[in-house]
Amino acid sequence: MSKLVVLNLGKGNLKQGFPSVTAALWEDGNPIAMQFTGSLPAAPELWSLYKRWQLLYQLLYEALYPGSDWRNYTDDLEDIDIEIDEEDVTNVSSIDFSNLCDDLHKQINSWLKSEPFRHIDQKLRTKLNPDDEIRLILATEDNQVRRLPWHLWNFFEDYQKAIACSSILEVEQVKPLRNNPGRKIRILAVLGNSQGIDVQQDRAILEQLPGAEIIFLVEPQRQELDRWLWDKRGWDMLFFAGHGSTDAEGESGRIHLNQTDTLTIAQLKNALKAAIARGLNLVVFNSCEGLELARELGSLQIPQMIVMREPVPDFVAQEFLKHFLEAFAHGESFYLAVREAQDKLQGLENEFPCASWLPVICQNPAAEPLVWPEQRVSDRRPILPSRRILPLLLKVSLVITTLAIGIRSLGILQLGELAAFDLLMRSRPPEKTDPRILVVEVTEADVSAQPATERAGASLSDKALAEAMKKIERFNPRVIGLDIYRENPTKPEYANLAKTMQTSDRFIAICKASEDKTNPGVPPPPEVSSQIQRQGFSDVVADPDNVIRRQILAMSGAPPCATDKSFSFRLASLYLKNQGIQPQLLIPENNWQFGNVVFKTIEQNIGGYSGIDNLGYQVLLNWRAANPVAQTVTLKEVLDNQLTADLVRDRIVMIGTTAESFHDYWSTPYSSQMWPHKQMPGVVVQAHMVSQILSAVLDHRPLLWVLPKWGENLWIWVWCVAGGVLAWQLRSRLRLIIALIGAIGILYLACLFLLIQGLWIPLLPSALVLLTGGATVATLTSSQSEE
């Protein structure tokens, strides 16, 4: 329950006392006040004690924080007529200041416990409950007693929801508050002279307020401020951040609009009256020495004001504003929000002594307290109870998941899923170059360096190949693979090359199987045409988007390429043979096995694929995240004797063309990232395939695999449920959108982590059902809540 207490001190002052003190107590709903009378004795020592505290307060900050930011320009401590040796300020700050605060606390309470006032104190405590929200307003015309820190009265310790306010004696009824729950609160925020302080922090705090329309005036001219105060739409709140000061006589307060102009309340009187008439309810001076500003503004019957009683450090002013607005804008009453912000400032008092003493409320007792408008209903949805949401979640998630699985099975999502797979592939951490493979590139420069009559249209002439083979073989490679088509026999003058190709047990050449009349295939080199074990088909299988994601290990031979093993299979098998590892075909599973590693043949509807051609023995290609996949040298470097034993010995040496004029380039998941020409040379693609087999067998590098269909469907359903749960728990649509984006990030990271382990898990369908489930549940719960 809210209570209002007006403590009217009447005529009098601290030197002579207050002979007639009246306490009026109003309860909610009762227009008639209870009244109690008493008096207060003279207490001139209180003002002397306060003036000493005031001086030490300023000296303490000057000593502890020299050059620190203040929201005023007072630097003339000699004007105060109390003599203190400023060299002793450090000792004073650590000993006397704390004692002085205690003395002031005791003296105020001793004064308020005096016999003439005890009747009022006891009556108030009898009528008030500790849980009541209490506004205790001190009404007086005496500036000295108004300046005293009334919050030190023990009454406020006993009543934790009570707050001290100040008021002038003569008040009038003010215009009732505008009653429109859906509207935004209008704030005119004046950011004045910011020399030496950071008013941008005040602006940042204000900009975070929900349900507020704010106009910022940055170091405005007087005419600009005056014009905005006359705005016909009216204002709920006027805010000022910047420097403030009081004149030498202590009778008039000033705000520093910019670096040259200052203003008094009298100079804004007409504009302020117009703003108050249009509903201005709260003025906040987040600047120094605002009590005189509040006194002058009070005569205009402004409903509420918040000011600082003394010079305030920049950081303290910002912290108070942050805590006050955070509480006020999220449902606390105006007075409890101020009290909470004051109490939180106490946590700063190790660094900023008496910080909690500074904020003061000044108000018109006849005014209604300002209430922050609630957020619109459309921004927040009530949370339905679990007994109602669980059946809804189950139905929605099952329907959406079933639809997604059906669409997926039709192949509609295939290209999107493959693109997501490529993104995950590119996101993996880098791997090391495979040390078992050396690629000899026949570059465009290498092609141009060979006489056209010797090449006869090929990328590599007999002469260049013979020299290259001779230089490679002397370093004892384990396997040599020629990834270049050679349909014509070797010229007679290169008999040694022909003999090497015919008899070397470590040489493998390529051919291409026939597909149809338009693609008759390419036969192997004549030197190895009768030796199927020296041949490997170079055929690759591309997906509908022409990207290679699969590897063919074996298939039925098709003339003119009679071999049933791929080029990469032959190279890897020959390499592993020296280590006692032989491939074998597992029947009836139709899977190839190297050592303990089984290469499982893919099905037509594996992973994100739908109805693909899986003829032969195909496996998913786990591209090596290395650029380059293997060490490379050019043909010129080989011919110029730049090869070393370390580069060649016991390696698979692959010779292939990378010259763009021969068009042996393929799209891969890495096409847009690793290669500037956006595609990968065929010999490099073959190197990746060889590396996959060797790494899986020798390094235990994972092969790609997928969950069974029921496992993938369960995974998709779980993410649909997750979207629904987020929509159920998060009433704010903005928070729901942020949460769903965060959930997609978590889904992405989970899929990436699993892919690194070898598991390809659905990303795109899971993301789609996550968003669809969240949006659907949010819509349904909103409509049910309205019903």
Side-chain angles (χ1 to χ4, degrees):
M1 183 179 291
S2 177
K3 305 286 180 68
L4 169 63
V5 177
V6 177
L7 192 61
N8 191 328
L9 300 188
K11 302 296 182 180
N13 53 53
L14 286 174
K15 289 183 179 180
Q16 299 171 355
F18 298 88
S20 179
V21 178
T22 302
L25 169 60
W26 283 269
E27 295 183 347
D28 279 346
N30 189 350
I32 301 175
M34 293 178 278
Q35 290 197 3
F36 319 110
T37 59
S39 62
L40 280 168
E45 70 281 356
L46 265 179
W47 183 242
S48 299
L49 196 60
Y50 180 78
K51 291 296 284 183
R52 178 178 173 82
W53 173 88
Q54 185 183 52
L55 173 63
L56 292 188
Y57 169 83
Q58 297 187 39
L59 289 176
L60 176 65
Y61 275 92
E62 290 293 334
L64 294 180
Y65 304 101
S68 64
D69 296 338
W70 290 80
R71 295 202 169 190
N72 78 335
Y73 282 133
T74 110
D75 49 12
D76 228 350
L77 299 175
E78 289 132 0
D79 289 344
I80 304 174
D81 57 354
I82 297 178
E83 295 184 2
I84 291 182
D85 185 355
E86 292 193 32
E87 294 180 359
D88 293 335
V89 169
T90 302
N91 292 332
V92 168
S93 64
S94 61
I95 301 172
D96 286 6
F97 188 73
S98 178
N99 293 336
L100 185 58
C101 292
D102 292 338
D103 290 343
L104 191 55
H105 181 278
K106 291 175 183 177
Q107 288 284 354
I108 287 176
N109 281 283
S110 176
W111 183 50
L112 296 174
K113 286 180 181 178
S114 61
E115 189 63 33
F117 189 74
R118 183 172 299 173
H119 175 68
I120 292 178
D121 182 68
Q122 290 176 344
K123 284 292 186 180
L124 289 177
R125 291 176 183 271
T126 301
K127 300 297 182 180
L128 297 172
N129 294 318
D131 293 331
D132 290 339
E133 181 180 334
I134 304 165
R135 287 181 288 156
L136 195 149
I137 301 177
L138 177 70
T140 180
E141 292 296 338
D142 186 71
N143 286 340
Q144 293 183 356
V145 78
R146 183 188 291 116
R147 278 193 169 273
L148 294 179
W150 279 81
H151 70 283
L152 298 180
W153 184 12
N154 288 341
F155 176 87
F156 297 101
E157 286 292 324
D158 300 331
Y159 294 85
Q160 289 294 309
K161 293 184 178 180
I163 188 164
C165 309
S166 175
S167 172
I168 60 175
L169 280 177
E170 295 183 5
V171 295
E172 298 175 6
Q173 192 70 35
V174 295
K175 183 179 179 180
L177 291 173
R178 288 175 284 186
N179 186 16
N180 184 0
R183 70 180 181 85
K184 289 185 175 182
I185 193 166
R186 296 198 78 218
I187 302 174
L188 180 61
V190 182
L191 305 180
N193 182 5
S194 60
Q195 185 175 350
I197 58 175
D198 181 16
V199 297
Q200 291 304 314
Q201 183 64 28
D202 298 67
R203 177 170 188 156
I205 294 169
L206 289 170
E207 287 175 338
Q208 294 174 10
L209 288 174
E213 176 190 345
I214 308 175
I215 299 296
F216 288 97
L217 305 182
V218 181
E219 295 199 0
Q221 298 298 315
R222 175 179 172 180
Q223 294 89 339
E224 183 183 7
L225 173 57
D226 196 85
R227 176 173 59 84
W228 277 105
L229 285 171
W230 280 92
D231 187 83
K232 292 184 178 180
R233 292 178 59 194
W235 304 99
D236 296 287
M237 174 177 166
L238 172 62
F239 173 83
F240 175 80
H243 290 294
S245 61
T246 303
D247 61 18
E249 292 76 24
E251 294 181 354
S252 178
R254 289 181 174 272
I255 57 172
H256 295 248
L257 268 190
N258 48 57
Q259 296 192 21
T260 58
D261 299 326
T262 64
L263 275 181
T264 64
I265 297 300
Q267 291 172 307
L268 288 172
K269 182 177 179 179
N270 292 338
L272 286 169
K273 277 186 173 182
I276 293 169
R278 293 189 175 104
L280 179 61
N281 192 274
L282 172 62
V283 175
V284 178
F285 287 115
N286 207 21
S287 57
C288 293
E289 298 184 336
L291 283 173
E292 290 306 316
L293 290 170
R295 182 182 61 80
E296 297 173 71
L297 197 54
S299 64
L300 302 181
Q301 308 304 323
I302 184 73
Q304 283 104 9
M305 293 167 281
I306 300 176
V307 297
M308 297 292 174
R309 72 168 68 246
E310 299 293 341
V312 57
D314 199 29
F315 182 72
V316 173
Q318 293 161 3
E319 286 296 291
F320 170 77
L321 180 66
K322 179 179 70 175
H323 295 315
F324 163 63
L325 290 178
E326 186 178 70
F328 188 33
H330 289 86
E332 288 280 15
S333 71
F334 170 73
Y335 303 99
L336 288 184
V338 174
R339 167 113 194 207
E340 182 178 318
Q342 285 177 322
D343 291 346
K344 286 184 176 180
L345 290 182
Q346 192 175 44
L348 305 177
E349 291 185 348
N350 276 349
E351 296 182 49
F352 301 97
C354 293
S356 63
W357 294 28
L358 301 178
V360 180
I361 296 178
C362 301
Q363 81 155 100
N364 183 336
E368 297 178 47
L370 179 65
V371 177
W372 196 273
E374 293 183 2
Q375 290 189 359
R376 296 179 185 270
V377 175
S378 60
D379 291 339
R380 290 184 175 270
R381 296 171 290 106
I383 296 180
L384 294 180
S386 57
R387 60 182 172 80
R388 293 183 59 188
I389 193 64
L390 291 179
L392 179 66
L393 268 177
L394 183 62
K395 291 177 184 178
V396 168
S397 61
L398 288 177
V399 170
I400 293 175
T401 303
T402 302
L403 287 173
I405 293 170
I407 293 172
R408 190 175 188 235
S409 65
L410 295 175
I412 297 174
L413 299 180
Q414 178 172 280
L415 291 179
E417 287 202 64
L418 295 179
F421 171 82
D422 293 347
L423 177 61
L424 291 171
M425 272 282 169
R426 292 193 296 270
S427 301
R428 296 176 303 165
E431 299 179 73
K432 293 181 180 179
T433 295
D434 195 322
R436 295 170 290 251
I437 303 173
L438 174 68
V439 176
V440 177
E441 298 179 327
V442 181
T443 65
E444 202 71 67
D446 292 327
V447 173
S448 301
Q450 303 171 65
T453 54
E454 291 183 4
R455 288 193 299 106
S459 62
L460 193 61
S461 66
D462 289 351
K463 178 181 178 182
L465 178 58
E467 291 182 16
M469 290 283 288
K470 180 178 179 181
K471 294 178 184 296
I472 291 169
E473 282 208 305
R474 68 174 179 168
F475 291 120
N476 198 26
R478 192 176 296 189
V479 186
I480 299 177
L482 181 62
D483 187 29
I484 297 176
Y485 295 126
R486 291 179 58 86
E487 302 180 58
N488 300 318
T490 304
K491 294 178 181 178
E493 58 265 36
Y494 301 108
N496 288 337
L497 173 61
K499 183 179 179 180
T500 298
M501 296 170 67
Q502 291 169 352
T503 61
S504 174
D505 57 0
R506 57 190 175 193
F507 178 77
I508 304 292
I510 63 165
C511 57
K512 181 172 173 52
S514 172
E515 296 180 11
D516 49 45
K517 291 182 180 180
T518 60
N519 190 359
V522 180
E527 292 80 7
V528 298
S529 58
S530 61
Q531 304 178 56
I532 293 180
Q533 72 278 8
R534 302 259 179 91
Q535 305 171 25
F537 61 79
S538 63
D539 299 63
V540 294
V541 55
D543 289 330
D545 55 359
N546 292 319
V547 176
I548 296 175
R549 300 182 183 90
R550 292 172 278 158
Q551 175 180 359
I552 308 177
L553 297 179
M555 66 180 183
S556 299
C561 184
T563 182
D564 63 346
K565 304 295 189 306
S566 70
F567 183 56
S568 58
F569 186 102
R570 290 290 189 194
L571 294 179
S573 300
L574 195 53
Y575 183 91
L576 294 171
K577 182 179 179 180
N578 286 0
Q579 297 183 222
I581 300 174
Q582 294 277 8
Q584 57 177 324
L585 181 61
L586 302 179
I587 302 295
E589 296 89 346
N590 282 333
N591 296 325
W592 281 97
Q593 180 173 343
F594 288 79
N596 297 324
V597 179
V598 177
F599 289 73
K600 294 185 178 180
T601 305
I602 64 175
E603 300 174 356
Q604 282 188 318
N605 297 308
I606 187 173
Y609 287 111
S610 178
I612 58 170
D613 179 1
N614 67 329
L615 296 178
Y617 299 89
Q618 297 181 30
V619 296
L620 295 172
L621 180 52
N622 190 6
W623 293 88
R624 193 178 189 92
N627 185 22
V629 62
Q631 196 160 359
T632 62
V633 294
T634 64
L635 178 65
K636 181 178 186 304
E637 290 173 330
V638 173
L639 300 180
D640 289 348
N641 297 314
Q642 295 183 32
L643 281 183
T644 63
D646 291 339
L647 286 175
V648 178
R649 184 177 292 116
D650 279 335
R651 292 196 185 192
I652 297 175
V653 179
M654 301 176 65
I655 305 172
T657 303
T658 61
E660 293 185 42
S661 58
F662 284 85
H663 309 296
D664 185 20
Y665 279 83
W666 299 89
S667 295
T668 75
Y670 284 96
S671 294
S672 63
Q673 187 182 58
M674 293 183 65
W675 295 89
H677 33 63
K678 298 185 179 181
Q679 290 185 315
M680 190 179 290
V683 66
V684 178
V685 172
Q686 295 291 345
H688 274 276
M689 294 178 175
V690 174
S691 178
Q692 161 155 280
I693 299 173
L694 298 182
S695 299
V697 176
L698 300 178
D699 304 334
H700 306 291
R701 184 174 180 266
L703 295 168
L704 294 182
W705 60 286
V706 298
L707 292 174
K709 282 301 175 185
W710 67 264
E712 290 187 335
N713 296 341
L714 179 61
W715 170 268
I716 294 171
W717 176 73
V718 166
W719 286 99
C720 186
V721 172
V725 171
L726 289 175
W728 170 40
Q729 289 295 320
L730 298 175
R731 294 177 294 165
S732 166
R733 282 180 168 77
L734 176 60
R735 291 183 180 179
L736 176 58
I737 292 171
I738 294 173
L740 289 174
I741 293 172
I744 289 177
I746 293 172
L747 169 64
Y748 177 80
L749 293 175
C751 291
L752 176 59
F753 173 79
L754 292 172
L755 185 68
I756 294 171
Q757 311 308 312
L759 176 58
W760 178 20
I761 201 99
L763 171 58
L764 179 63
S766 305
L768 290 177
V769 300
L770 172 71
L771 295 175
T772 307
T776 304
V777 171
T779 302
L780 293 177
T781 54
S782 179
S783 62
Q784 289 191 13
S785 299
E786 291 174 2
E787 292 173 4

